[in-house]
Amino acid sequence: MQMHELQKPKTQRKSRRVGRGGKRGTYSGRGMKGQKARAGAKIRPEFREFFKRVPKLRGSNGPTFAFKKNNVEVVSLQALDKYFEKGDVVSPKTLVEHKVAVKLNGRLSLVKILSKGTISKGVNVEGCSLSASARKQIVSAGGSVKN
């Protein structure tokens, strides 16, 4: 072995301890005051606070971001008069086909028919809930209602 072949022993470099004195000035890289400048400062992520506020009730399937509602499509008599002919069957399936109602999460939604507007055609309503005045107008126009 010759002098030019000698090497320094390689030592592992120790990590610097920020905030406990040292060679980084008066505040040691932590700025001035406040929660982040203190020892043991651990700030929790904001979404964790959101999860803590969500009620964890039986049957709620854990925290969900969508608020649970009864997904009810409201359809007016005016829309039935516009999209259906005399004697047609009005059901949630036919309402989706005529694009009066939409599917929610791939399922047919519940449909309630309200008496906004008037209907002149006798249609047969199946599988929909109706208001009392809508039922009265459909029957008086010559239609029928089945639940």
Side-chain angles (χ1 to χ4, degrees):
M1 184 174 289
Q2 304 223 343
M3 281 294 270
H4 70 277
E5 293 175 343
L6 293 175
Q7 290 182 342
K8 282 185 180 179
K10 292 186 179 177
T11 58
Q12 287 187 333
R13 182 177 249 192
K14 291 184 180 178
S15 61
R16 295 195 181 199
R17 298 179 71 192
V18 178
R20 294 166 186 87
K23 298 180 181 178
R24 287 187 178 259
T26 50
Y27 300 110
S28 302
R30 285 177 173 252
M32 287 179 63
K33 299 184 181 177
Q35 185 179 1
K36 292 180 182 177
R38 307 288 186 237
K42 291 176 186 155
I43 298 172
R44 298 201 313 196
E46 194 172 319
F47 69 87
R48 191 174 299 166
E49 300 299 326
F50 174 76
F51 277 124
K52 286 187 78 172
R53 281 191 222 112
V54 174
K56 290 149 186 82
L57 303 173
R58 284 185 291 160
S60 66
N61 296 327
T64 55
F65 293 97
F67 297 103
K68 294 188 177 184
K69 298 179 194 173
N70 292 335
N71 295 321
V72 178
E73 283 277 336
V74 176
V75 178
S76 64
L77 288 178
Q78 186 177 348
L80 296 183
D81 200 40
K82 182 177 178 183
Y83 292 104
F84 290 92
E85 298 300 320
K86 184 178 179 184
D88 283 353
V89 175
V90 176
S91 66
K93 188 176 179 182
T94 56
L95 287 167
V96 169
E97 288 170 5
H98 285 87
K99 297 182 181 174
V100 178
V102 293
K103 283 187 175 183
L104 295 170
N105 299 328
R107 295 183 190 170
L108 292 173
S109 56
L110 301 172
V111 175
K112 180 150 188 175
I113 299 171
L114 300 180
S115 65
K116 182 180 178 186
T118 57
I119 189 163
S120 59
K121 304 167 188 168
V123 293
N124 303 320
V125 179
E126 295 177 3
C128 301
S129 57
L130 295 96
S131 66
S133 54
R135 181 185 296 267
K136 188 177 177 182
Q137 283 192 34
I138 289 171
V139 171
S140 67
S144 64
V145 177
K146 293 180 188 174
N147 286 346

